[in-house]
Amino acid sequence: MQSRCVFGCFVLLFCLFHWRASGQTDSYRVVFYNVENLFDTRKDSLKVDGDFTPRGKMYWTKERYHGKILNISRALLASERLPTIIGLAEVENRQVLFDLIRKTGLADGNYGIVHEDSPDARGIDVALLYNTTVLRELRSQFFPVELRKGETTRDILYCKGVLREVDTLHFFVCHFPSMRGGEAKSEWKRVKAASVVKEKVDSIQSCQPEAMIVIMGDMNGRANTRAQQALGTKNPEGQEINSRDLYNTGYYLLGKTRGSYRFKGEWQTLDHVIVSGTLLDGKHGLRSSGRMEIVASDFLMEEEKGSFGKRPKPTYRGPKYIGGYSDHLPVFIELKK
């Protein structure tokens, strides 16, 4: 009798594990992570990536690369749950994505890849990974962002998919231009990128007013910048939700002593997950959490010298190899039935 009970418990645990690993749930985690320079070790003659080679400035060896891949997977699994959707920034090519989803703990996630080489001079792109047993990709496209005539930046990734053959979702993954040269002087570039996203969102909503939309990315600015205004984002808290408006789920982090990125002792949230009101009003089958969460596990952090507190532990600090994860932290929302 006891052996039957033990066997029964084993079968139950196996089923529960399989159910969890295969995504059989009514809750779907959407994660975004800027993985900080995920390069392979080969020189690409079309890109300025020579620093990230074994003989380059960073001494980027296969051992360091494999360690980086494993570190990223650990960070993405830090919440002890396989994400359904993963948006990534700063990946060099499709091969590093294959290695990430095949040679790490993410292999259980049955991930498909949406990626295309962008015009970024260094060769760092955005990408989307999705659990193919949960989401069926219908269409994907990459929208160029022209800053000035002859000057471009990273493309905007767009993917349309069906969740569990019931709910159609629209995903955008972005990596807006950096603050190099000063935040104020470079803001116009991020406004340009935001305007491209807004134009595409407006186009979707003109055909499908009740479209469910998720925009995620490293937008290199807080939730109240001019770029966010160009995107038309609002604070989801303390006001009536309009189904066609866009809401920044990390708005509540403004002025807080935590965030997704830390610079000179100051926390900022540069990484955002923005959702349409249709994912907040509870009237359209799926509902998003109203507040984006930040994965700030201890193993992702290090003490910041010269100031009180911790910061994300990067792979490099300048040319010095640290062996950490990324200078950003992962952020996520939950989508529930």
Side-chain angles (χ1 to χ4, degrees), residues 213-233:
I213 299 169
V214 178
I215 304 165
M216 54 184 152
D218 176 358
M219 299 181 185
N220 271 304
R222 298 173 177 85
N224 60 350
T225 60
R226 283 177 49 221
Q228 292 279 331
Q229 292 166 12
L231 197 49
T233 59

Side-chain angles (χ1 to χ4, degrees), residues 24 149 156 173 178 188 204 209 254 258 261 279 311 315 319:
Q24 301 295 323
K149 189 173 182 180
I156 306 295
V173 184
S178 74
W188 68 272
I204 291 169
L254 271 174
R258 60 193 183 99
Y261 182 79
L279 283 169
R311 63 183 172 187
T315 305

Side-chain angles (χ1 to χ4, degrees), residues 26-153:
D26 286 335
S27 181
Y28 311 98
R29 180 156 295 183
V30 179
V31 178
F32 174 77
Y33 193 21
N34 179 327
V35 295
E36 186 208 355
N37 295 323
L38 179 55
F39 286 90
D40 62 21
T41 60
R42 296 171 298 167
K43 178 70 180 77
D44 186 335
S45 61
L46 301 177
K47 299 295 181 180
V48 186
D49 67 346
D51 287 349
F52 283 90
T53 58
R55 296 183 180 181
K57 180 180 177 182
M58 300 300 189
Y59 301 103
W60 190 234
T61 63
K62 286 186 177 180
E63 290 75 20
R64 289 183 176 184
Y65 169 67
H66 291 150
K68 173 84 170 178
I69 292 288
L70 291 172
N71 278 350
I72 291 170
S73 68
R74 279 192 72 197
L76 290 169
L77 294 170
S79 58
E80 298 183 354
R81 190 170 159 198
L82 282 167
T84 306
I85 307 290
I86 303 172
L88 298 173
E90 297 200 14
V91 297
E92 185 184 16
N93 51 41
R94 203 173 187 88
Q95 184 59 52
V96 300
L97 295 167
F98 276 127
D99 290 344
L100 181 62
I101 65 174
R102 290 179 176 177
K103 298 179 180 180
T104 73
L106 294 177
D108 289 332
N110 302 302
Y111 291 111
I113 296 173
V114 180
H115 169 266
E116 187 174 283
D117 289 330
S118 81
D120 181 82
R122 294 177 59 230
I124 53 173
D125 311 326
V126 294
L128 186 77
L129 307 178
Y130 63 96
N131 186 322
T132 56
T133 66
V134 179
L135 186 81
R136 178 168 60 89
E137 179 188 347
L138 296 178
R139 182 166 72 94
S140 61
Q141 194 171 353
F142 290 78
F143 300 116
V145 179
E146 185 174 33
L147 301 176
R148 288 186 279 225
K149 189 173 182 180
E151 182 183 0
T152 58
T153 185

